[in-house]
Amino acid sequence: MAYNLLKGKKGIVFGALNEQSIAWKVAERVHEEGAEIVLTNAPIALRMGTINTLAEKTGAKVISADATSLEDLENLFKETMEILGGKVDFVLHSIGMSPNVRKGLDYDALNYGYYHKTLDISAFSLHKVLSTARKMDAINEWGSVVALSYVAAQRTFAGYNDMADAKAILESIARSFGYMYGRSKHIRINTVSQSPTQTTAGSGVSGFDKLEDFSDRMSPLGNATADECADYCITLFSDLTRKVTMQNLFHDGGFSSMGMSYRAIEQYEKSFKDCP
Amino acid sequence: MAYNLLKGKKGIVFGALNEQSIAWKVAERVHEEGAEIVLTNAPIALRMGTINTLAEKTGAKVISADATSLEDLENLFKETMEILGGKVDFVLHSIGMSPNVRKGLDYDALNYGYYHKTLDISAFSLHKVLSTARKMDAINEWGSVVALSYVAAQRTFAGYNDMADAKAILESIARSFGYMYGRSKHIRINTVSQSPTQTTAGSGVSGFDKLEDFSDRMSPLGNATADECADYCITLFSDLTRKVTMQNLFHDGGFSSMGMSYRAIEQYEKSFKDCP
Amino acid sequence: MAYNLLKGKKGIVFGALNEQSIAWKVAERVHEEGAEIVLTNAPIALRMGTINTLAEKTGAKVISADATSLEDLENLFKETMEILGGKVDFVLHSIGMSPNVRKGLDYDALNYGYYHKTLDISAFSLHKVLSTARKMDAINEWGSVVALSYVAAQRTFAGYNDMADAKAILESIARSFGYMYGRSKHIRINTVSQSPTQTTAGSGVSGFDKLEDFSDRMSPLGNATADECADYCITLFSDLTRKVTMQNLFHDGGFSSMGMSYRAIEQYEKSFKDCP
Amino acid sequence: MAYNLLKGKKGIVFGALNEQSIAWKVAERVHEEGAEIVLTNAPIALRMGTINTLAEKTGAKVISADATSLEDLENLFKETMEILGGKVDFVLHSIGMSPNVRKGLDYDALNYGYYHKTLDISAFSLHKVLSTARKMDAINEWGSVVALSYVAAQRTFAGYNDMADAKAILESIARSFGYMYGRSKHIRINTVSQSPTQTTAGSGVSGFDKLEDFSDRMSPLGNATADECADYCITLFSDLTRKVTMQNLFHDGGFSSMGMSYRAIEQYEKSFKDCP
């Protein structure tokens, strides 16, 4: 169901790889709500994924950009403004990757070059997007920026590794830049802290399935899906949430406010049962 | 501008006194978005305020109910379901009052009878609304309940007195009941922590003007108005936020994430200037 | 091992029932550290428990006081100052009880008379202790007050019921009164959020054992014991923590900062194993 | 006054520059409490400061180490264990520096090379200290690590710039590594979030004086001094706080829990007064 919530708005969506991607769902939904968008991802992701299908579906152009490269980002905003005929109103940042996780290095034995890279890709990229946009004055007044995060920014999850630190600094950047960009241009910047989601990125974390199950049983409403996350992002890009900024917003079926649910402890209890 | 976000939805709005009230603005906006509502307030508030104007404007019936009375609430839900022809989809709780504040009693010299009354009116009323609805099965699956709160639940504000404790327990009730009602009926319960707002209730707090000024200078986007709060509530009642529950959501122009802004410290600095 | 950390200090310890009680351990430890104390508890708790053993061990007088009665509290402080020869330096508040939990009433079907009673006993009692002390000027400058709390104040635990709300408002009272008492008398007020502990009160909660096991596996250092809690309280009563106030301090082996540990998820995974 | 709280313990203190330094005060206090320590700082800091005075006073050796260099850190732990005759029991991390702040670059126009450097010095250094210690098994079971932080990790302060992000990730590292080191060796890792302090580092931030004044008026107990911070660290290194880990502990006279104090708003109000 569509409401024309974003009619006349323009935006950039970072990070749609394939149809499991949250960014993919967001692109579909913003299109349904009347927005015109540009899709972007890193060259390698464009090759690996199926973004052209999405581009067709949403009538969007795809611009290749490495979000750690200021040059690429400058080109992205320049081309986007040409294609869309003006500044953008919203940006989705859905970017994260840890070479340490990929290489299976434990958190207490990180490679520091990789660590910097994790942050560069997963967090500084948000800063670079924003500072490029700021320099080029590429976001309209009262525009809205959303970056995707995870509760590991607040609480430690075994195996989430240096991505936890990346999400913590990502949320800090959203606050710090939210102040700068808010006071000068009334642009709001928030992070959405999403349930564990079966995306290519998410399901790569070891033990993902068990964690997803536990998370689902802990959450009174169950885990939030990628589609539901897209719905939520729509509200944050709309004009109805203009005074929400510098916040980390949990979209997780209640997980973040749970200590222990009956459903989860009941399952847990089964683990102690002896076989007959 | 309206989007039909709440088309076909039914709701109850507690706490509209006069056109300064946040609840008033919410009633207007949910009506614009296609919802049918019932308005309710305590008998004395109905007499003091101008709710009939709002009722006409929104085509709503007004039902008198003391939100601390289980009998009144039961009657309210019964009549509401008759009038609207079924269960409700959303509830706004905008109720708060402290006899200790009214009587000018300092926080370290509270009257404990009044203290219980502050909680009964400002916090337990939410519990009673929810448990009555639960018993009568009066809220549809995936319904949404919002209660208004203030950042004093987390940080102490001189003069806010026992209302701080009331807001803290209000937010706790939203979590506790959010778990119960979420797991059984998928109903979500959240609090919106709003900027200081020039309502009859808000502006009664001593020193309100200076605090409002400070809050505005601290917030990169400025204080959020009652109208903007109504817009935000619309999103929380819509189907786009179904997996957000048990959260306290700051709607405050960024205030809650600020330690010190340039605008506020600049003003503060002036206080040290000597007259020539 | 003792350090004379509290040499010359005087205090009141609320809530020692038997040797499982955290308050019991605190009484022993403050005595070891050189403090003189008065023990107090409600008349019924004095009869049920074994406090006289503790009184002998710590050379302390026992004064009966219902912590919900201003009259009893006034008498308590009066007698305490006579016995100890002056104002006190610290107070431990370890009081909590929910008639709703005792009667097995679910959170969505609370008895509201009991609900007020839960708060009166578990939270307002702290306010009453403080306002009585304030009125009688019974705590020395730079004194320290600690109340025991639980993480259910922030996150919902199935079965913890209205005690969650009680702990939320207890922590709010610590902040609100911490401001009042801090600015006037430099007295600090904090809550210690302790691991689930095998006390008479704690183990009464249904499903306590499984929760304790889960909590222990989640916490990198394991659950904190009552003895360890007593050690921690010693530091908070000492002169070494004078500028810590209005805080909720987690003493829980790391539980509050964990999302998922390897030990806990490993156990959880066993619950899905089929018997051969 | 000394209590022998750290008798027989060994430790390393990073970051003592001159007698304004918090680390300096900590070194003095741990020595008074019976600990044997090694002092360390970067080569340039050793030249600029007066650490030899401290070394004499505390009977400590000084070892030069750049905390961003794994080689230097390995040498530091090796030499320390030789000098002190065994593993250490505690570590103080008091290290922070932002080239962006030094060069006066605004947050929305950061130099990214500097940004990485800010994190490398102010946050990754903690990770490197810990992973070096872990690899060399250089910290005793139940050891304690404290890193100094600031509330800018949670709330934005104009001018604090990328140090806010550095503190956010520092606190995340404390949690992430606290889990790893806790489960394997029972070592606890916490951050202390200290009031603005008149150190060489602190007072370099522009507008520091006004912020310090505001912070002092907001805090019911006033700002915490470097001496008081040292006292607090003593408790965290002692055996009395063994189950406190992965926490960010505010040591700030109550600032972090304040929204507005009477003293601060009263001063603020003066700024609006016209001269006669």
Side-chain angles (χ1 to χ4, degrees), chain C residues 242-265:
Chain C
R242 283 191 167 189
K243 286 291 175 76
V244 178
T245 194
M246 303 171 72
Q247 303 300 315
N248 180 48
L249 301 161
F250 289 102
H251 181 257
D252 63 359
F255 177 84
S256 51
S257 292
M258 288 302 301
M260 186 44 77
S261 72
Y262 183 70
R263 280 215 307 149
I265 199 77

PDB file of all heavy atoms in Angstrom, chain C residues 242-265:
ATOM      1  N   ARG C 242      33.494  10.245  46.135  1.00  0.00           N
ATOM      2  CA  ARG C 242      32.678  11.397  46.548  1.00  0.00           C
ATOM      3  C   ARG C 242      31.959  12.111  45.421  1.00  0.00           C
ATOM      4  O   ARG C 242      31.006  12.834  45.650  1.00  0.00           O
ATOM      5  CB  ARG C 242      33.569  12.423  47.264  1.00  0.00           C
ATOM      6  CG  ARG C 242      33.902  12.023  48.678  1.00  0.00           C
ATOM      7  CD  ARG C 242      34.542  13.214  49.369  1.00  0.00           C
ATOM      8  NE  ARG C 242      34.611  13.004  50.810  1.00  0.00           N
ATOM      9  CZ  ARG C 242      34.967  13.961  51.659  1.00  0.00           C
ATOM     10  NH1 ARG C 242      35.262  15.178  51.193  1.00  0.00           N
ATOM     11  NH2 ARG C 242      34.997  13.721  52.940  1.00  0.00           N
ATOM     12  N   LYS C 243      32.447  11.984  44.215  1.00  0.00           N
ATOM     13  CA  LYS C 243      31.816  12.730  43.125  1.00  0.00           C
ATOM     14  C   LYS C 243      30.955  11.843  42.220  1.00  0.00           C
ATOM     15  O   LYS C 243      30.554  12.261  41.138  1.00  0.00           O
ATOM     16  CB  LYS C 243      32.885  13.468  42.306  1.00  0.00           C
ATOM     17  CG  LYS C 243      33.465  14.694  43.021  1.00  0.00           C
ATOM     18  CD  LYS C 243      32.477  15.837  43.162  1.00  0.00           C
ATOM     19  CE  LYS C 243      33.009  17.010  43.973  1.00  0.00           C
ATOM     20  NZ  LYS C 243      33.962  17.844  43.269  1.00  0.00           N
ATOM     21  N   VAL C 244      30.696  10.624  42.684  1.00  0.00           N
ATOM     22  CA  VAL C 244      29.789   9.742  41.937  1.00  0.00           C
ATOM     23  C   VAL C 244      28.392   9.899  42.517  1.00  0.00           C
ATOM     24  O   VAL C 244      28.162   9.545  43.668  1.00  0.00           O
ATOM     25  CB  VAL C 244      30.229   8.266  42.040  1.00  0.00           C
ATOM     26  CG1 VAL C 244      29.251   7.359  41.294  1.00  0.00           C
ATOM     27  CG2 VAL C 244      31.646   8.090  41.517  1.00  0.00           C
ATOM     28  N   THR C 245      27.480  10.420  41.727  1.00  0.00           N
ATOM     29  CA  THR C 245      26.114  10.570  42.242  1.00  0.00           C
ATOM     30  C   THR C 245      25.088  10.502  41.129  1.00  0.00           C
ATOM     31  O   THR C 245      25.416  10.721  39.971  1.00  0.00           O
ATOM     32  CB  THR C 245      25.940  11.878  43.033  1.00  0.00           C
ATOM     33  OG1 THR C 245      24.704  11.796  43.773  1.00  0.00           O
ATOM     34  CG2 THR C 245      25.902  13.106  42.145  1.00  0.00           C
ATOM     35  N   MET C 246      23.847  10.166  41.502  1.00  0.00           N
ATOM     36  CA  MET C 246      22.722  10.087  40.567  1.00  0.00           C
ATOM     37  C   MET C 246      22.960   9.027  39.499  1.00  0.00           C
ATOM     38  O   MET C 246      22.391   9.113  38.413  1.00  0.00           O
ATOM     39  CB  MET C 246      22.480  11.460  39.912  1.00  0.00           C
ATOM     40  CG  MET C 246      22.224  12.582  40.902  1.00  0.00           C
ATOM     41  SD  MET C 246      22.193  14.244  40.142  1.00  0.00           S
ATOM     42  CE  MET C 246      20.645  14.198  39.258  1.00  0.00           C
ATOM     43  N   GLN C 247      23.777   8.035  39.826  1.00  0.00           N
ATOM     44  CA  GLN C 247      24.102   6.996  38.859  1.00  0.00           C
ATOM     45  C   GLN C 247      23.435   5.670  39.211  1.00  0.00           C
ATOM     46  O   GLN C 247      23.237   5.360  40.377  1.00  0.00           O
ATOM     47  CB  GLN C 247      25.624   6.760  38.791  1.00  0.00           C
ATOM     48  CG  GLN C 247      26.437   7.994  38.448  1.00  0.00           C
ATOM     49  CD  GLN C 247      26.091   8.592  37.105  1.00  0.00           C
ATOM     50  OE1 GLN C 247      25.953   7.867  36.129  1.00  0.00           O
ATOM     51  NE2 GLN C 247      25.908   9.912  37.049  1.00  0.00           N
ATOM     52  N   ASN C 248      23.157   4.900  38.203  1.00  0.00           N
ATOM     53  CA  ASN C 248      22.792   3.510  38.371  1.00  0.00           C
ATOM     54  C   ASN C 248      24.014   2.697  37.961  1.00  0.00           C
ATOM     55  O   ASN C 248      24.418   2.729  36.797  1.00  0.00           O
ATOM     56  CB  ASN C 248      21.591   3.151  37.496  1.00  0.00           C
ATOM     57  CG  ASN C 248      21.202   1.705  37.664  1.00  0.00           C
ATOM     58  OD1 ASN C 248      21.083   1.220  38.789  1.00  0.00           O
ATOM     59  ND2 ASN C 248      21.007   0.999  36.564  1.00  0.00           N
ATOM     60  N   LEU C 249      24.589   1.992  38.903  1.00  0.00           N
ATOM     61  CA  LEU C 249      25.874   1.334  38.679  1.00  0.00           C
ATOM     62  C   LEU C 249      25.681  -0.176  38.577  1.00  0.00           C
ATOM     63  O   LEU C 249      25.280  -0.819  39.557  1.00  0.00           O
ATOM     64  CB  LEU C 249      26.818   1.676  39.836  1.00  0.00           C
ATOM     65  CG  LEU C 249      27.076   3.191  40.003  1.00  0.00           C
ATOM     66  CD1 LEU C 249      27.600   3.500  41.393  1.00  0.00           C
ATOM     67  CD2 LEU C 249      28.057   3.676  38.942  1.00  0.00           C
ATOM     68  N   PHE C 250      25.985  -0.714  37.420  1.00  0.00           N
ATOM     69  CA  PHE C 250      25.793  -2.150  37.227  1.00  0.00           C
ATOM     70  C   PHE C 250      26.922  -2.941  37.897  1.00  0.00           C
ATOM     71  O   PHE C 250      28.100  -2.689  37.635  1.00  0.00           O
ATOM     72  CB  PHE C 250      25.721  -2.487  35.741  1.00  0.00           C
ATOM     73  CG  PHE C 250      24.453  -2.021  35.099  1.00  0.00           C
ATOM     74  CD1 PHE C 250      24.420  -0.869  34.323  1.00  0.00           C
ATOM     75  CD2 PHE C 250      23.267  -2.716  35.301  1.00  0.00           C
ATOM     76  CE1 PHE C 250      23.239  -0.426  33.742  1.00  0.00           C
ATOM     77  CE2 PHE C 250      22.079  -2.280  34.720  1.00  0.00           C
ATOM     78  CZ  PHE C 250      22.061  -1.126  33.940  1.00  0.00           C
ATOM     79  N   HIS C 251      26.522  -3.847  38.746  1.00  0.00           N
ATOM     80  CA  HIS C 251      27.477  -4.746  39.408  1.00  0.00           C
ATOM     81  C   HIS C 251      27.002  -6.152  39.069  1.00  0.00           C
ATOM     82  O   HIS C 251      26.232  -6.774  39.800  1.00  0.00           O
ATOM     83  CB  HIS C 251      27.445  -4.497  40.921  1.00  0.00           C
ATOM     84  CG  HIS C 251      28.411  -5.373  41.674  1.00  0.00           C
ATOM     85  ND1 HIS C 251      28.010  -6.478  42.375  1.00  0.00           N
ATOM     86  CD2 HIS C 251      29.760  -5.303  41.794  1.00  0.00           C
ATOM     87  CE1 HIS C 251      29.075  -7.050  42.919  1.00  0.00           C
ATOM     88  NE2 HIS C 251      30.140  -6.368  42.587  1.00  0.00           N
ATOM     89  N   ASP C 252      27.412  -6.617  37.898  1.00  0.00           N
ATOM     90  CA  ASP C 252      26.757  -7.781  37.318  1.00  0.00           C
ATOM     91  C   ASP C 252      27.659  -8.633  36.427  1.00  0.00           C
ATOM     92  O   ASP C 252      27.165  -9.387  35.580  1.00  0.00           O
ATOM     93  CB  ASP C 252      25.545  -7.314  36.507  1.00  0.00           C
ATOM     94  CG  ASP C 252      25.940  -6.413  35.329  1.00  0.00           C
ATOM     95  OD1 ASP C 252      27.154  -6.150  35.157  1.00  0.00           O
ATOM     96  OD2 ASP C 252      25.056  -5.986  34.576  1.00  0.00           O
ATOM     97  N   GLY C 253      28.960  -8.517  36.609  1.00  0.00           N
ATOM     98  CA  GLY C 253      29.877  -9.349  35.826  1.00  0.00           C
ATOM     99  C   GLY C 253      29.850  -9.066  34.340  1.00  0.00           C
ATOM    100  O   GLY C 253      30.384  -9.832  33.543  1.00  0.00           O
ATOM    101  N   GLY C 254      29.212  -7.956  33.971  1.00  0.00           N
ATOM    102  CA  GLY C 254      29.192  -7.543  32.568  1.00  0.00           C
ATOM    103  C   GLY C 254      27.863  -7.809  31.867  1.00  0.00           C
ATOM    104  O   GLY C 254      27.683  -7.404  30.709  1.00  0.00           O
ATOM    105  N   PHE C 255      26.916  -8.436  32.564  1.00  0.00           N
ATOM    106  CA  PHE C 255      25.646  -8.837  31.932  1.00  0.00           C
ATOM    107  C   PHE C 255      24.978  -7.705  31.153  1.00  0.00           C
ATOM    108  O   PHE C 255      24.544  -7.877  30.009  1.00  0.00           O
ATOM    109  CB  PHE C 255      24.670  -9.365  32.985  1.00  0.00           C
ATOM    110  CG  PHE C 255      23.329  -9.731  32.408  1.00  0.00           C
ATOM    111  CD1 PHE C 255      23.130 -10.973  31.820  1.00  0.00           C
ATOM    112  CD2 PHE C 255      22.262  -8.832  32.416  1.00  0.00           C
ATOM    113  CE1 PHE C 255      21.896 -11.319  31.262  1.00  0.00           C
ATOM    114  CE2 PHE C 255      21.030  -9.159  31.860  1.00  0.00           C
ATOM    115  CZ  PHE C 255      20.847 -10.399  31.279  1.00  0.00           C
ATOM    116  N   SER C 256      24.898  -6.538  31.784  1.00  0.00           N
ATOM    117  CA  SER C 256      24.150  -5.420  31.197  1.00  0.00           C
ATOM    118  C   SER C 256      24.734  -4.945  29.877  1.00  0.00           C
ATOM    119  O   SER C 256      24.044  -4.301  29.091  1.00  0.00           O
ATOM    120  CB  SER C 256      24.105  -4.251  32.187  1.00  0.00           C
ATOM    121  OG  SER C 256      25.421  -3.956  32.638  1.00  0.00           O
ATOM    122  N   SER C 257      26.003  -5.220  29.638  1.00  0.00           N
ATOM    123  CA  SER C 257      26.619  -4.803  28.378  1.00  0.00           C
ATOM    124  C   SER C 257      26.750  -5.947  27.383  1.00  0.00           C
ATOM    125  O   SER C 257      27.435  -5.816  26.376  1.00  0.00           O
ATOM    126  CB  SER C 257      27.998  -4.180  28.640  1.00  0.00           C
ATOM    127  OG  SER C 257      27.851  -2.951  29.328  1.00  0.00           O
ATOM    128  N   MET C 258      26.087  -7.048  27.658  1.00  0.00           N
ATOM    129  CA  MET C 258      26.148  -8.193  26.748  1.00  0.00           C
ATOM    130  C   MET C 258      24.863  -8.301  25.928  1.00  0.00           C
ATOM    131  O   MET C 258      23.765  -8.125  26.446  1.00  0.00           O
ATOM    132  CB  MET C 258      26.312  -9.498  27.538  1.00  0.00           C
ATOM    133  CG  MET C 258      27.668  -9.711  28.170  1.00  0.00           C
ATOM    134  SD  MET C 258      29.063  -9.709  26.997  1.00  0.00           S
ATOM    135  CE  MET C 258      28.598 -11.070  25.902  1.00  0.00           C
ATOM    136  N   GLY C 259      25.035  -8.638  24.653  1.00  0.00           N
ATOM    137  CA  GLY C 259      23.901  -8.976  23.807  1.00  0.00           C
ATOM    138  C   GLY C 259      23.782 -10.492  23.685  1.00  0.00           C
ATOM    139  O   GLY C 259      22.707 -11.058  23.792  1.00  0.00           O
ATOM    140  N   MET C 260      24.912 -11.140  23.491  1.00  0.00           N
ATOM    141  CA  MET C 260      24.953 -12.601  23.444  1.00  0.00           C
ATOM    142  C   MET C 260      26.384 -13.077  23.621  1.00  0.00           C
ATOM    143  O   MET C 260      27.292 -12.603  22.925  1.00  0.00           O
ATOM    144  CB  MET C 260      24.412 -13.130  22.103  1.00  0.00           C
ATOM    145  CG  MET C 260      24.304 -14.654  22.048  1.00  0.00           C
ATOM    146  SD  MET C 260      23.584 -15.449  23.533  1.00  0.00           S
ATOM    147  CE  MET C 260      21.854 -15.095  23.292  1.00  0.00           C
ATOM    148  N   SER C 261      26.565 -13.994  24.538  1.00  0.00           N
ATOM    149  CA  SER C 261      27.887 -14.573  24.763  1.00  0.00           C
ATOM    150  C   SER C 261      27.980 -15.924  24.063  1.00  0.00           C
ATOM    151  O   SER C 261      26.960 -16.555  23.756  1.00  0.00           O
ATOM    152  CB  SER C 261      28.123 -14.784  26.255  1.00  0.00           C
ATOM    153  OG  SER C 261      27.323 -15.859  26.709  1.00  0.00           O
ATOM    154  N   TYR C 262      29.176 -16.346  23.854  1.00  0.00           N
ATOM    155  CA  TYR C 262      29.375 -17.663  23.249  1.00  0.00           C
ATOM    156  C   TYR C 262      28.853 -18.760  24.170  1.00  0.00           C
ATOM    157  O   TYR C 262      28.193 -19.707  23.732  1.00  0.00           O
ATOM    158  CB  TYR C 262      30.871 -17.868  22.944  1.00  0.00           C
ATOM    159  CG  TYR C 262      31.140 -19.177  22.262  1.00  0.00           C
ATOM    160  CD1 TYR C 262      30.740 -19.392  20.943  1.00  0.00           C
ATOM    161  CD2 TYR C 262      31.759 -20.222  22.940  1.00  0.00           C
ATOM    162  CE1 TYR C 262      30.950 -20.605  20.320  1.00  0.00           C
ATOM    163  CE2 TYR C 262      31.980 -21.435  22.324  1.00  0.00           C
ATOM    164  CZ  TYR C 262      31.571 -21.630  21.012  1.00  0.00           C
ATOM    165  OH  TYR C 262      31.786 -22.841  20.400  1.00  0.00           O
ATOM    166  N   ARG C 263      29.121 -18.623  25.463  1.00  0.00           N
ATOM    167  CA  ARG C 263      28.691 -19.638  26.433  1.00  0.00           C
ATOM    168  C   ARG C 263      27.176 -19.795  26.459  1.00  0.00           C
ATOM    169  O   ARG C 263      26.645 -20.900  26.586  1.00  0.00           O
ATOM    170  CB  ARG C 263      29.179 -19.287  27.843  1.00  0.00           C
ATOM    171  CG  ARG C 263      30.628 -19.645  28.113  1.00  0.00           C
ATOM    172  CD  ARG C 263      30.848 -20.105  29.560  1.00  0.00           C
ATOM    173  NE  ARG C 263      30.320 -19.141  30.525  1.00  0.00           N
ATOM    174  CZ  ARG C 263      29.827 -19.475  31.721  1.00  0.00           C
ATOM    175  NH1 ARG C 263      29.786 -20.742  32.107  1.00  0.00           N
ATOM    176  NH2 ARG C 263      29.380 -18.544  32.526  1.00  0.00           N
ATOM    177  N   ALA C 264      26.462 -18.671  26.371  1.00  0.00           N
ATOM    178  CA  ALA C 264      24.999 -18.745  26.455  1.00  0.00           C
ATOM    179  C   ALA C 264      24.390 -19.293  25.173  1.00  0.00           C
ATOM    180  O   ALA C 264      23.478 -20.111  25.210  1.00  0.00           O
ATOM    181  CB  ALA C 264      24.418 -17.367  26.780  1.00  0.00           C
ATOM    182  N   ILE C 265      24.921 -18.872  24.030  1.00  0.00           N
ATOM    183  CA  ILE C 265      24.323 -19.327  22.771  1.00  0.00           C
ATOM    184  C   ILE C 265      24.645 -20.804  22.529  1.00  0.00           C
ATOM    185  O   ILE C 265      23.844 -21.541  21.956  1.00  0.00           O
ATOM    186  CB  ILE C 265      24.776 -18.443  21.570  1.00  0.00           C
ATOM    187  CG1 ILE C 265      23.808 -18.620  20.387  1.00  0.00           C
ATOM    188  CG2 ILE C 265      26.190 -18.743  21.129  1.00  0.00           C
ATOM    189  CD1 ILE C 265      22.515 -17.896  20.520  1.00  0.00           C
TER     190      ILE C 265
END
